[in-house]
Amino acid sequence: MKRILLISFFTLFFIYSALAQFRKRSTPTISRELHQPSTLNYLSPSEYTIAGIEVVGLNVLDKNAMISLTGLKIGDKIKIPGSATANAVRKLWKHGLVGDVTISADRIEGTNVYITVRLTERPRLTDFYFHGLSQSKQASLKEDMRLIRGKIVTDAMIRNAESSVKRHFVKKGFLNTQVKITKEKDTLNRGGIRLKIDVDVQAKVKVNNIYFEGNNQISATALKSKMKKTHERARFMIHRLLLGNLIYFKPRYVKEYFDSSRQMSWKDLKVFLNDNVKLNVLHSSKFIRAEYEEDKKKIVTYLNEEGFRDAGLVSDTLIKNNYANIDVKIKINEGHKYYFRNIFWTGNYLYSAATLNKVLDIKKGDVYSQEAIDKKTTFNPKGGADISGLYMDNGYLFFHVNPVEVSVVGDSIDVEMRIFEGDQATLDQVTIAGNDRTSEHVIRRELTTIPGQKFRRSDIIRTQQQLSQMGYFSPQKIEQDIRPNPANGTVNVGWKVEEQSNDQVQLSGGWGGYYGFVGTVGLTFNNFSMRNVAHFDKWRPLPVGDGQRLSIQAQANGQSFSSYSLSFTEPWFGGKRPNSLTISLNHSKSRIPTGRSGISFNYGNSPYLSQNGITIGFGRRLEWPDTYFTLTHSLSYLIYDYHNYFGTNNTVLPAVGTTNSIIFKTTLSRNSVDNPMYPTSGSLISLALDLTPPYSLFRPSGYYTDVNVKYNWLELHKWMFDSKFYVKVLGSKKPEGRSLVIETKANFGYIGTYNNKIGGPGPFERFLMGGAGLTGGFNSFVLGQDIIGLRGYQNNQVTPPLYALYGSTTSNGITGGIIYNKFSMELRYPVVTSQAATVYSFVFTEAGNNWNNYRDFNPFNLYRTAGFGARIFMPAFGLIGLNWGYGFDTLPNASKPSGTQFAFTIGNQIR
């Protein structure tokens, strides 16, 4: 018992000593300068009143703020020693602003105590810099860094900085990036710290091989093709024997070779060439974890689409070959492959099961796929045949369908489509938001979603297209908010738009060779408001908002050439229907110098051709065959005044004279493009007919041979056909995403006369082909002709009779064709699609020809060209393009093919 008591005594003694030492370390040090030493007894705490608090060691922090953080204030009563001072230290540490902290009693006067808080501020970040990175890499990295100068440097800050640097480079495929951050004292700032960030990026980690295990029915090649971001290193493993067969033998021998080889089947080869090789060539093989995880989900989705509804990933392994290459091994479980058997419909009263089955387009024996059901039953905002659209186009907004698997027999599945049709919905409120510049009535008149009407999905789609085609709003930012109210059978539709300025300013100048310096000034206001011109308080900053169009343009280079035009369009003339009224005026004059003095040309009594005209047009939007059609009529009166302009070979016109032209033009067009800036779908088709009065039918026969009066009045009929089609090849499903698009065009023109005795259509309104087309440049100096572009050949060279530069004429002085056709195709890819600008690159091929008589016309005898280029559209300046084309064919009277030609364009190419 004595031993037990002795051991217990020593144990308690050691525990008490350890606790005392711990309390000594954790309790803030309180020192004092005692005037009355006997009044401060650590074994017997006494209560004191705080009479003063001082803070020592501050550099940046505020004294009063630090005192407030301690929780102590003058007048408080505390016990010394006691918990109040220990709590004060903990509170200061809690905020992470300071390092070491001690609290001491400077002096005690009676029951009053004067306290001093001594602390050391934590260092603050004054700067950071990188080591081991180029300037370009540093610039992009700093955007991802969240280091803020002036903040306290903590271990957490350094760890977060290291993680940010690693994440930045891991996204780019540098998985082995090493980061080390070192703290350096800033000698210029007291208490400041500079961080030195050493980065060793090392080589990109790339995927060498992707292996699949467990894929018994789906080939590895097909699975790899569904991995859109994770790809193997590009390779072309073609045997020498295969290469020989490809070159020297027929394709069937290649097929036999692959079928006999156990390495790859002929079917797998076709899949490989169509999918995997294309992806490997066009995409990088770098490994990015986030994209890899998404690709794994795509594999499962693909297996489900192929009928393996129970498929899943068992495991995936990354095998490191070396520091820069890995192999990916994915083990999958395909499960059984299922097929559709019977599809039943319940709850369908409006449409029969036969009608619904036709729209669903799933037949007995088809591979089972939940995506196939969803695709045909879910609302598609872009239209297309689906069950939801069938009901919603008839007002059944509250419709929904629930596919249920009711039976699984072997590998076959029966599906019951449970329909709730609901009531027809009526549009109640239609709201518009975001139109800061455009008047609301301008938007409402374009809407096909009108309060009181039955809800239709097609009206939603059509309104979306109409708002995009107006050009006043960013197509990517147009949003629809459909808010059904099943309680009363109504629906509210909200349209949210974001304004974009599509007014254009054209200021350009350049050297025009023969024409010298050429300057152009143009202003186009596409959302003008004539009624607000006199109301300066409504200018923002110009009178805008009513959707009218006002265009003013001037182009000149002194005495050689000048052109002025003014046009105004009211798209809703009368305000009730989409009937447009356009009035335009123009004056142009081209002069040929008679001589030259030094660097200056002489224009005294020089030959010239002038054109003055006025046009009044009226157009309306049609309801049949659909609302994409428009019909436009215009009446033009033009006066051509010429003075020795057509040269000495001219036998058609008098040397000095005037030709009048009255033309009635009617155009039927259909425009269904989804985005005027960068179309990805839809088409633009137009058929135009120009008619002049048939003067020759009412005049005597001698009129045809008198050159002085023969063409006093222009007589012809002109037919023009233009078409453009847009098809999305690859790309994002989102409106703001990038899409690879094919544009195909076909153009045809024909000029005829009412009377063969007149000897042809005359010298005006003919076709000149070659170059960039009617898109600025020197083609603008050509008066009274239609300019047809053909890149890869010089301006107007593909023009009868001699296919030479403009100015060459036939023996009778007439230049230009009377029939032409042209075909072209562009493959486009957008570089930038934003509100500020749209930039896209393209490759093209086109072919065309131009004939002076109908006998020689051959639509297949064409001059071919191909090339590439880029275009940029900015709302303030319009469309600007640069084309490089190579003409493959040799023009008549030329010794070699046209070859390389550059074309700079301003504005839309009409043809």
Side-chain angles (χ1 to χ4, degrees):
M1 181 61 69
K2 290 182 180 179
R3 290 180 180 177
I4 294 173
L5 291 175
L6 184 61
I7 292 171
S8 300
F9 173 78
F10 281 109
T11 301
L12 291 174
F13 176 77
F14 283 119
I15 291 174
Y16 177 79
S17 300
L19 288 173
Q21 291 295 325
F22 176 77
R23 291 187 62 188
K24 184 176 181 181
R25 291 191 183 97
S26 60
T27 303
T29 303
I30 302 179
S31 62
R32 54 187 174 83
E33 297 177 4
L34 298 176
H35 295 284
Q36 296 176 336
S38 60
T39 61
L40 188 61
N41 188 347
Y42 283 92
L43 297 178
S44 178
S46 300
E47 188 175 75
Y48 296 92
T49 301
I50 299 177
I53 303 176
E54 289 293 331
V55 181
V56 179
L58 296 176
N59 292 323
V60 179
L61 299 175
D62 181 70
K63 171 184 174 182
N64 294 327
M66 291 297 99
I67 293 175
S68 176
L69 290 178
T70 64
L72 303 175
K73 59 180 181 293
I74 296 174
D76 284 354
K77 295 183 180 298
I78 63 173
K79 287 187 177 182
I80 299 179
S83 61
T85 54
N87 290 336
V89 172
R90 294 190 186 97
K91 289 178 180 179
L92 289 174
W93 281 341
K94 175 182 176 181
H95 291 85
L97 301 175
V98 297
D100 296 333
V101 181
T102 60
I103 299 179
S104 60
D106 275 357
R107 65 181 187 277
I108 296 176
E109 297 177 355
T111 59
N112 295 329
V113 62
Y114 294 86
I115 294 176
T116 298
V117 181
R118 293 179 173 83
L119 53 82
T120 303
E121 291 187 18
R122 286 193 172 182
R124 293 179 178 271
L125 179 65
T126 57
D127 193 14
F128 64 92
Y129 66 97
F130 298 97
H131 181 262
L133 294 178
S134 63
Q135 291 296 326
S136 59
K137 289 183 178 180
Q138 291 184 30
S140 60
L141 176 58
K142 286 180 180 178
E143 296 178 0
D144 291 344
M145 297 288 290
R146 296 184 178 180
L147 291 176
I148 302 175
R149 291 174 176 83
K151 277 209 161 190
I152 293 173
V153 178
T154 63
D155 293 340
M157 173 191 282
I158 294 176
R159 287 195 300 270
N160 291 337
E162 290 179 351
S163 299
S164 296
V165 175
K166 288 183 178 179
R167 282 197 303 270
H168 175 83
F169 287 103
V170 165
K171 290 179 183 178
K172 299 178 181 294
F174 299 95
L175 271 64
N176 297 320
T177 300
Q178 300 295 321
V179 183
K180 181 181 179 182
I181 299 181
T182 306
K183 292 186 285 187
E184 297 178 349
K185 187 175 181 180
D186 192 341
T187 57
L188 300 178
N189 295 281
R190 187 174 61 175
I193 288 291
R194 300 172 72 236
L195 295 182
K196 178 185 177 183
I197 306 176
D198 287 290
V199 182
D200 184 6
V201 175
Q202 299 189 13
K204 281 186 178 181
V205 173
K206 295 189 176 183
V207 178
N208 189 41
N209 293 293
I210 300 177
Y211 300 105
F212 286 95
E213 182 181 341
N215 54 313
N216 301 317
Q217 300 185 58
I218 299 294
S219 68
T221 302
L223 294 174
K224 292 175 187 178
S225 69
K226 300 305 172 183
M227 302 178 74
K228 302 302 181 184
K229 298 293 184 180
T230 308
H231 309 285
E232 291 180 331
R233 179 172 54 86
R235 60 175 64 85
F236 298 96
M237 300 177 63
I238 300 179
H239 296 276
R240 182 176 301 175
L241 176 60
L242 168 63
L243 185 61
N245 286 334
L246 285 174
I247 296 175
Y248 298 109
F249 300 99
K250 297 180 180 180
R252 66 184 182 91
Y253 292 110
V254 182
K255 180 180 184 302
E256 291 174 1
Y257 167 75
F258 270 97
D259 287 340
S260 62
S261 171
R262 295 184 179 181
Q263 297 182 11
M264 180 183 291
S265 69
W266 174 249
K267 180 180 179 181
D268 283 346
L269 172 66
K270 291 192 293 184
V271 175
F272 180 81
L273 294 176
N274 289 334
D275 295 324
N276 203 40
V277 171
K278 173 185 67 178
L279 293 173
N280 281 345
V281 173
L282 297 179
H283 298 284
S284 170
S285 62
K286 64 185 179 183
F287 180 84
I288 298 176
R289 170 66 69 173
E291 295 176 349
Y292 171 63
E293 295 298 329
E294 290 297 321
D295 283 339
K296 288 196 298 183
K297 296 177 182 178
K298 287 183 174 66
I299 292 174
V300 176
T301 301
Y302 170 67
L303 291 171
N304 296 156
E305 293 171 1
E306 293 298 310
F308 301 95
R309 68 164 191 165
D310 303 325
L313 299 185
V314 178
S315 63
D316 65 291
T317 308
L318 303 180
I319 305 171
K320 192 172 183 179
N321 297 329
N322 51 53
Y323 73 97
N325 286 289
I326 61 171
D327 289 340
V328 177
K329 186 176 182 181
I330 300 175
K331 185 176 182 179
I332 65 174
N333 177 24
E334 289 180 345
H336 296 292
K337 187 171 185 176
Y338 294 90
Y339 301 88
F340 285 104
R341 191 170 70 168
N342 299 313
I343 297 179
F344 308 100
W345 297 89
T346 62
N348 55 308
Y349 302 103
L350 187 63
Y351 298 104
S352 65
T355 301
L356 296 176
N357 279 328
K358 185 176 181 180
V359 176
L360 187 65
D361 196 27
I362 295 177
K363 299 176 177 59
K364 186 175 183 178
D366 286 353
V367 173
Y368 182 83
S369 170
Q370 183 63 42
E371 185 192 28
I373 297 177
D374 295 339
K375 185 178 180 179
K376 285 294 185 176
T377 58
T378 307
F379 173 75
N380 182 1
K382 291 189 175 181
D386 59 75
I387 303 296
S388 179
L390 184 67
Y391 275 91
M392 288 189 180
D393 276 341
N394 202 11
Y396 290 88
L397 176 63
F398 310 113
F399 155 89
H400 66 263
V401 57
N402 182 26
V404 179
E405 297 178 4
V406 294
S407 177
V408 179
V409 181
D411 62 352
S412 300
I413 299 177
D414 292 340
V415 179
E416 183 176 276
M417 310 293 285
R418 299 173 182 176
I419 291 179
F420 172 76
E421 293 179 341
D423 298 324
Q424 287 180 305
T426 303
L427 292 173
D428 185 14
Q429 297 180 0
V430 178
T431 58
I432 301 170
N435 53 315
D436 302 326
R437 301 173 74 243
T438 305
S439 301
E440 185 164 320
H441 76 274
V442 174
I443 302 176
R444 286 198 176 276
R445 68 193 187 190
E446 300 291 341
L447 301 182
T448 54
T449 51
I450 302 173
Q453 289 187 352
K454 183 172 60 178
F455 175 86
R456 293 191 305 176
R457 180 188 67 163
S458 57
D459 289 338
I460 299 292
I461 298 171
R462 180 59 175 150
T463 297
Q464 183 100 16
Q465 292 176 333
Q466 285 292 106
L467 295 177
S468 297
Q469 291 177 1
M470 290 176 72
Y472 310 148
F473 315 110
S474 172
Q476 294 82 12
K477 300 294 184 179
I478 298 175
E479 300 177 5
Q480 51 182 270
D481 182 17
I482 301 175
R483 301 182 297 276
N485 188 356
N488 58 10
T490 62
V491 57
N492 296 331
V493 177
W495 293 100
K496 184 178 180 181
V497 298
E498 183 174 310
E499 296 268 9
Q500 67 175 11
S501 176
N502 63 341
D503 297 333
Q504 298 175 8
V505 179
Q506 183 178 349
L507 297 172
S508 61
W511 184 257
Y514 171 80
Y515 292 97
F517 181 82
V518 181
T520 301
V521 177
L523 296 173
T524 301
F525 306 104
N526 290 302
N527 194 5
F528 192 70
S529 176
M530 185 65 74
R531 64 187 177 95
N532 289 332
V533 171
H535 303 283
F536 296 101
D537 57 323
K538 297 183 180 180
W539 288 36
R540 300 188 297 269
L542 294 170
V544 297
D546 282 348
Q548 298 165 344
R549 187 176 189 271
L550 177 66
S551 178
I552 306 171
Q553 188 175 50
Q555 186 177 41
N557 75 324
Q559 299 184 66
S560 176
F561 179 82
S562 61
S563 177
Y564 309 95
S565 63
L566 170 67
S567 68
F568 174 79
T569 301
E570 168 54 71
W572 281 67
F573 183 63
K576 295 183 179 180
R577 294 183 178 274
N579 299 326
S580 63
L581 175 67
T582 300
I583 301 175
S584 62
L585 303 170
N586 68 82
H587 166 76
S588 301
K589 189 171 185 178
S590 178
R591 306 178 68 181
I592 301 175
T594 56
R596 185 169 184 172
S597 299
I599 61 173
S600 302
F601 289 100
N602 299 325
Y603 291 94
N605 197 28
S606 62
Y608 68 84
L609 170 64
S610 68
Q611 173 186 294
N612 298 283
I614 180 172
T615 300
I616 300 177
F618 181 79
R620 62 191 181 97
R621 196 177 301 162
L622 304 180
E623 298 293 332
W624 185 88
D626 57 40
T627 56
Y628 296 110
F629 279 87
T630 58
L631 182 63
T632 304
H633 306 289
S634 65
L635 184 64
S636 302
Y637 176 55
L638 302 175
I639 301 175
Y640 298 99
D641 187 16
Y642 41 88
H643 181 89
N644 296 323
Y645 188 79
F646 295 99
T648 57
N649 293 331
N650 171 36
T651 61
V652 176
L653 296 172
V656 178
T658 300
T659 296
N660 300 276
S661 173
I662 297 178
I663 297 178
F664 174 77
K665 182 174 185 176
T666 182
T667 303
L668 178 65
S669 63
R670 186 181 188 274
N671 184 359
S672 62
V673 298
D674 59 342
N675 184 343
M677 303 302 106
Y678 185 77
T680 60
S681 64
S683 62
L684 176 59
I685 304 172
S686 70
L687 176 64
L689 172 61
D690 292 8
L691 298 173
T692 67
Y695 304 107
S696 63
L697 299 181
F698 311 107
R699 296 192 175 185
S701 58
Y703 171 82
Y704 309 137
T705 59
D706 188 350
V707 70
N708 294 313
V709 297
K710 183 178 181 180
Y711 289 113
N712 281 355
W713 292 90
L714 192 64
E715 179 178 330
L716 55 81
H717 55 88
K718 179 190 287 189
W719 303 76
M720 303 291 286
F721 173 79
D722 303 288
S723 64
K724 297 180 182 180
F725 296 89
Y726 300 93
V727 178
K728 182 189 296 186
V729 181
L730 295 171
S732 172
K733 297 181 180 180
K734 299 180 180 180
E736 67 275 9
R738 298 180 179 180
S739 302
L740 186 67
V741 176
I742 288 182
E743 179 202 56
T744 56
K745 295 194 298 184
N747 307 93
F748 172 81
Y750 165 81
I751 303 174
T753 60
Y754 305 105
N755 192 337
N756 293 331
K757 296 180 181 179
I758 198 172
F764 300 106
E765 301 293 333
R766 287 177 172 251
F767 304 124
L768 306 182
M769 177 178 284
L774 191 59
T775 51
F778 309 132
N779 283 342
S780 301
F781 305 145
V782 179
L783 302 181
Q785 308 291 5
D786 269 328
I787 310 300
I788 313 300
L790 188 63
R791 293 164 289 186
Y793 297 88
Q794 292 187 25
N795 286 343
N796 310 326
Q797 275 204 352
V798 189
T799 300
L802 301 177
Y803 299 88
L805 291 175
Y806 181 69
S808 297
T809 61
T810 60
S811 59
N812 61 7
I814 296 179
T815 299
I818 59 174
I819 184 170
Y820 88 94
N821 69 331
K822 172 187 168 184
F823 305 96
S824 64
M825 182 176 68
E826 282 189 1
L827 183 63
R828 301 174 172 180
Y829 186 77
V831 180
V832 177
T833 54
S834 66
Q835 184 175 348
T838 298
V839 182
Y840 61 89
S841 58
F842 59 87
V843 294
F844 72 88
T845 179
E846 59 187 14
N849 204 348
N850 190 8
W851 294 268
N852 191 35
N853 59 74
Y854 315 124
R855 296 185 304 273
D856 296 336
F857 173 68
N858 182 352
F860 305 105
N861 180 22
L862 305 176
Y863 293 98
R864 301 161 299 165
T865 178
F868 59 88
R871 297 189 184 101
I872 176 172
F873 177 85
M874 294 182 291
F877 299 100
L879 188 65
I880 301 173
L882 181 63
N883 304 264
W884 177 90
Y886 186 89
F888 297 104
D889 297 309
T890 303
L891 295 173
N893 296 331
S895 59
K896 60 181 180 179
S898 178
T900 297
Q901 302 290 337
F902 286 94
F904 179 75
T905 62
I906 301 176
N908 281 311
Q909 185 175 358
I910 300 175
R911 296 179 178 90

